Amino acid sequence: MQFDTLGLSPRLITALNDQGITDPTPIQTQAIPHAMAGRDVMGLAQTGSGKTAAFGLPMLDALMKNGRKAEPKTPRALILAPTRELARQIHDTLSAFAQGSHLKLALITGGVGFTPQIERMSRGVAILVATPGRLVDLLDRRAVDLSKTEFLVLDEADQMLDLGFIHSLRRIAGLLPKQRQTMLFSATMPKLMEEIAGAFLTDPVRVQVNPPGQAVAKIDQWLHYVAKGAKTDLLIELLDKHRDELAIVFGRTKHGSDKLARQLEAAGYAVAAIHGNKSQGQRDRAIAAFREGEVRVLVATDVAARGLDIPGIRHVYNYDLPNVPENYVHRIGRTARAGADGTAVALCSPDEMGELRDIEKAMKAKIPVASGAPWEGVSEPAARPGANRGGKPRQGQGQGRPAGQGRPGGPSAGQQPSRRPAQVGAPGGKPAGQKPRRPAAAPRRRTTAA
C-alpha cells in the first residue's frame, strides 16, 4: 500500500515524497483510514513504528482542508507527549509535513521561560505540542484556551502515567469540548490506561501491530554478566570496536550518567550527557551534536528512552538495567530505526538480576548471553518500579557471583557480541572438565550509583 491510496491530500503526499517517505508502516496503514473517517483511535505500537505520521497526517489533512485562521490562545489541535525530547520530535516532524501551508505550530515544554511561550500562544497556533506539566502551568496563567480544540492526541500515554501525569491529564480532559476527535497511542496497556481511555475516547477503534513489550525484530540483543566495578572497562572495550558509529548508553541516575560521561571522555570519546538536571538548551545542543556526528556517544537517563529519533544510532548499551521493565524495550528502540539494523547490549551486575528477570518476563524472551553466566545467590524479586532509583544494591544482593565462575566478571568480559552466544567454560575461564579452584570470598560491594 502507498500513501496516495489512503486518501491524503496531494500536498501531504508531496511533502512525504520530498522527505523520501513512500511506503506507510503497519501502524500507519491501520490507523490512518480510521482517523480520516473521523473515528477515535487507540493504537498500540512500539516507539519507532511511525506513530507520529499515523496520527499527524490525518490531523493535518483535516486542518488543511479547513482554512479557518487560528485564534489567539486557542489551538485547534493539541498533542500531549511525556518528555521534552518526544514533544520536540513530534513538533519538528509535523512542521516538515505542514511546510508551505497556513498551519502554524507551537511547542510548549518545561526547561525554558514562560514569557516566550505565552507570547507565542497569543499570536494564535493551529497545532499545540506540549508536555502535560507545562501545559497546566499555562492554563493556570490563562495563556491557553482549550474550549475550541477539535483534535486531541495522547502519544506514549503509558509513560505519561509512569511519570505521574494522571492528575494533569484528568484536569486537561475536563477543559476539552466533548465534540472532538481523540487518538491515543501507547506501547503498553497498563490497567490505569483503561481509565484514561474511558475519559478521553468515544467508541474508539483499536489497532495494534506489535504485542506490548516486544522488541523490534531487527535489533540484535546481547547480554554480559559483569561485576559492577568492571562495567566501565567492558563498555570501553565494546565501544572501541565501532568508534565511528553512533552509540547511546543508558544509565540509571543523573549523577552516575555525568560520571560515566567524564570517564568516557577521559578515554578519548566525543561524548555528551543528557538527563533531567540539564537545561533544555543543554539537552538540545547535546542531541544536535549527536545527530550531526560531532558527538559519537550519548550518555542518557530514561529521558531519552522515548522520543529520540536519530536513524544513525547503531548501538544501544544498557550500562544500568532499568527499574521499569518496559523501559528496556523503549531504550533499545533507539536503534534499528526506519528499517535499519541495530545492536543492543545489556550489562548485568549481581544486584540487577531481579531487573533482568522482569525484563525477560515482560518480553517473553531470553536475551542471548555474550559472556559470563547468571549470578548465583541472587533470588530476591525486583523492587517495585521506581523503588530503587538511587542505584544502590538491594539488601541481600550484590554478593553473588556468576554460576560456575571463580571471580566476578566471568570469562572474556570484553568479548564482542556475536551472532551466536559465547560458550561459557568451567570456573575461572578454564576449559570445561578441568577441576575448579576453591571459590574466592565474596567480593566487597560497590555502592557508587551508576
Side-chain angles (χ1 to χ4, degrees), residues 232 235-236 239 243 245-250 256-275 278 282 285-291 293-300 317:
T232 302
L235 176 64
I236 290 173
L239 288 172
R243 277 183 172 266
E245 296 178 333
L246 299 184
I248 182 168
V249 180
F250 282 102
S257 296
D258 280 335
K259 178 182 176 181
L260 179 59
R262 290 193 298 269
Q263 291 173 320
L264 294 178
E265 188 173 25
Y269 292 95
V271 61
I274 63 171
H275 51 67
K278 299 285 188 180
Q282 289 174 316
R285 287 191 293 274
I287 292 174
F290 185 54
R291 188 184 300 273
E294 299 171 10
V295 164
R296 295 289 182 177
V297 180
L298 185 68
V299 181
Y317 292 94

Side-chain angles (χ1 to χ4, degrees), residues 156-430:
E156 303 288 8
D158 53 346
Q159 191 182 19
M160 284 194 269
L161 298 183
D162 289 341
L163 295 177
F165 286 130
I166 179 64
H167 299 296
S168 297
L169 293 177
R170 286 170 176 159
R171 180 177 174 190
I172 293 168
L175 299 174
L176 292 162
K178 294 187 180 297
Q179 296 299 320
R180 66 174 190 273
Q181 182 179 15
T182 302
M183 289 177 274
L184 181 152
F185 286 83
S186 180
T188 61
M189 196 66 183
K191 291 183 179 179
L192 189 56
M193 190 67 67
E194 297 294 340
E195 176 188 341
I196 297 298
F200 283 90
L201 302 171
T202 301
D203 188 27
V205 175
R206 178 167 172 155
V207 296
Q208 178 174 330
V209 293
N210 283 335
Q214 186 180 81
V216 177
K218 290 192 175 183
I219 300 176
D220 198 16
Q221 300 180 61
W222 294 102
L223 171 67
H224 291 268
Y225 291 102
V226 56
K228 183 178 289 290
K231 279 189 174 185
T232 302
D233 289 340
L234 172 56
L235 176 64
I236 290 173
E237 288 185 31
L238 297 174
L239 288 172
D240 272 339
K241 298 181 183 299
H242 52 81
R243 277 183 172 266
D244 294 332
E245 296 178 333
L246 299 184
I248 182 168
V249 180
F250 282 102
R252 182 175 298 161
T253 68
K254 304 166 188 175
H255 169 74
S257 296
D258 280 335
K259 178 182 176 181
L260 179 59
R262 290 193 298 269
Q263 291 173 320
L264 294 178
E265 188 173 25
Y269 292 95
V271 61
I274 63 171
H275 51 67
N277 281 355
K278 299 285 188 180
S279 70
Q280 189 59 51
Q282 289 174 316
R283 288 158 71 162
D284 290 344
R285 287 191 293 274
I287 292 174
F290 185 54
R291 188 184 300 273
E292 295 300 320
E294 299 171 10
V295 164
R296 295 289 182 177
V297 180
L298 185 68
V299 181
T301 59
D302 279 329
V303 299
R306 311 193 201 193
L308 195 62
D309 187 8
I310 300 176
I313 298 176
R314 295 293 306 277
H315 308 271
V316 172
Y317 292 94
N318 279 281
Y319 184 87
D320 297 313
L321 297 184
N323 295 106
V324 180
E326 291 80 9
N327 281 355
Y328 172 83
V329 174
H330 299 308
R331 286 179 176 189
I332 70 174
R334 298 312 94 208
T335 188
R337 311 288 289 185
D341 294 326
T343 300
V345 177
L347 311 184
C348 180
S349 57
D351 58 305
E352 295 175 306
M353 285 298 294
E355 282 85 351
L356 176 61
R357 285 192 293 268
D358 287 346
I359 289 167
E360 293 182 330
K361 180 179 179 181
M363 292 197 304
K364 298 180 175 60
K366 293 287 187 181
I367 304 174
V369 177
S371 71
W375 298 92
E376 289 182 337
V378 184
S379 58
E380 295 81 3
R384 296 187 306 274
N388 187 31
R389 295 199 184 278
K392 295 182 179 180
R394 290 187 291 276
Q395 185 175 2
Q397 294 193 8
Q399 297 290 343
R401 60 174 60 93
Q405 298 299 317
R407 60 175 184 257
S412 304
Q415 181 177 341
Q416 171 71 358
S418 62
R419 291 286 174 177
R420 298 180 62 184
Q423 298 298 317
V424 180
K430 295 183 179 181

